């Protein structure tokens, strides 16, 4: 089993739709979680950190479920500009840090 | 605020040659990372520096890859000799150091696209 797993997609949804995808992780001791967005042939950019209580930033909502070991990203009222690959990141810090990226979920918004 | 700078942006070399990449992090960011991203995959952490010390290099192929961060600012990543499977984008990122919390809001440079023929 991979340490961090994402559904590769692609998710193809119409503009204005709501879309959600999950990211599962295997190490229950994982401490910090993030969502990054990566456009084609560009570098990843931080979208949002994921807090235990869940957090929202405009049309984006991130949640953490420690019991089931997954994080989720919900995008409401999707825009054409939301088309990208969404990467989840899981980190673990003990004597040294461990940072693991998922392989990403591709999202395509159609007009 | 200036972002993470990397050079070169593109590099094509033949197998068994050597190559070096350079990274300048965001000013004030103590932590610097090098990642390898193969097409269709997420970035894989190669090495993490805290100032000029190595925090984690467990996934760095040390027989051919080396990295340094002299003076705790700029960093270079070298591959010698290169193999075909090293073809990838090499990303540099930096972040503030937030104690021992495991919280790393990383900011990435544009990457160096390496093609090994």
């Amino acid at each position: 089993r991979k340490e961090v797993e994402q559904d590769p997609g692609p998710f193809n949804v119409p503009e204005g739709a709501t879309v959600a995808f999950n990211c599962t992780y295997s190490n229950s001791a994982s401490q910090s979680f993030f969502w990054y967005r990566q456009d084609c042939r560009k570098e990843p950019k931080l979208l949002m950190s994921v807090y235990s209580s869940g957090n929202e930033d405009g049309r984006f909502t991130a949640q953490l479920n420690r019991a089931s070991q997954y994080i989720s990203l919900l995008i409401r009222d999707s825009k054409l500009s939301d088309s990208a690959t969404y990467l989840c990141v899981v980190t673990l810090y003990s004597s040294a840090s461990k940072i693991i990226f998922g392989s990403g979920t591709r999202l395509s918004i159609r007009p | 605020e200036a972002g993470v700078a990397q050079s070169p942006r593109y590099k094509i070399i033949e197998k068994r040659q050597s190559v070096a990449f350079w990274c300048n992090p965001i000013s004030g960011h103590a932590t610097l990372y090098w990642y390898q991203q193969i097409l269709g995959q997420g970035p894989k952490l190669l090495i993490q520096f805290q100032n000029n010390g190595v925090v984690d290099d467990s996934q760095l192929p040390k027989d051919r890859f080396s990295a340094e961060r002299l003076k705790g600012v700029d960093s270079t990543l070298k591959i010698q000799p290169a193999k075909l499977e090293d073809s990838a984008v090499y990303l540099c990122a930096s972040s503030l150091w937030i104690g021992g919390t495991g919280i790393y809001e990383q900011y990435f440079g544009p990457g160096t696209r390496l093609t090994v023929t």
Side-chain angles (χ1 to χ4, degrees):
Chain A
R1 181 185 174 188
K2 288 184 180 179
E3 293 182 275
V4 176
E5 288 199 78
Q6 293 185 253
D7 182 339
F11 284 64
N12 190 323
V13 303
E15 197 173 7
T18 296
V19 61
F21 25 84
N22 291 341
C23 167
T24 59
Y25 60 95
S26 61
N27 192 328
S28 60
S30 298
Q31 294 167 292
S32 302
F33 309 88
F34 305 88
W35 284 103
Y36 280 76
R37 170 199 169 119
Q38 187 170 29
D39 293 296
C40 187
R41 300 180 74 86
K42 298 285 189 180
E43 72 272 21
K45 291 189 176 175
L46 179 65
L47 181 64
M48 57 200 305
S49 304
V50 186
Y51 303 123
S52 296
S53 55
N55 47 303
E56 188 174 308
D57 182 3
R59 298 182 293 108
F60 298 84
T61 300
Q63 292 196 309
L64 167 63
N65 185 318
R66 284 194 183 274
S68 300
Q69 294 182 205
Y70 72 87
I71 62 173
S72 63
L73 180 67
L74 178 80
I75 306 174
R76 290 182 299 277
D77 188 24
S78 54
K79 312 290 184 191
L80 295 175
S81 58
D82 294 333
S83 297
T85 296
Y86 291 84
L87 299 161
C88 70
V89 182
V90 175
T91 71
L92 171 65
Y93 183 83
S94 54
S95 57
S97 63
K98 192 169 185 180
I99 302 169
I100 304 169
F101 276 75
S103 295
T105 297
R106 283 193 297 136
L107 175 64
S108 179
I109 308 298
R110 62 180 189 269
Chain B
E1 178 183 84
V4 176
Q6 288 189 248
S7 68
R9 294 293 308 278
Y10 305 91
K11 190 75 177 178
I12 301 174
I13 61 172
E14 295 181 352
K15 60 184 179 184
R16 292 187 289 273
Q17 287 187 321
S18 62
V19 64
F21 313 126
W22 173 83
C23 173
N24 180 249
I26 292 171
S27 177
H29 281 193
T31 310
L32 184 148
Y33 317 78
W34 282 103
Y35 288 88
Q36 179 193 61
Q37 187 173 23
I38 292 172
L39 188 65
Q41 300 181 18
K44 182 180 84 170
L45 180 66
L46 294 176
I47 188 167
Q48 178 183 348
F49 291 96
Q50 168 66 13
N51 294 310
N52 59 350
V54 175
V55 174
D56 179 19
D57 64 356
S58 57
Q59 297 195 93
L60 186 73
K62 298 180 185 63
D63 57 332
R64 299 184 300 107
F65 286 64
S66 64
E68 60 181 11
R69 191 184 184 196
L70 301 176
K71 301 181 182 178
V73 181
D74 293 7
S75 177
T76 57
L77 175 70
K78 297 179 182 177
I79 307 175
Q80 181 179 13
K83 293 185 176 181
L84 295 176
E85 59 260 36
D86 298 332
S87 294
V89 176
Y90 290 84
L91 294 160
C92 179
S94 69
S95 71
L96 293 170
W97 177 251
I98 310 177
T101 62
I103 300 174
Y104 308 104
E105 294 187 351
Q106 301 173 70
Y107 297 88
F108 284 83
T112 298
R113 189 171 299 272
L114 174 67
T115 301
V116 182
T117 63

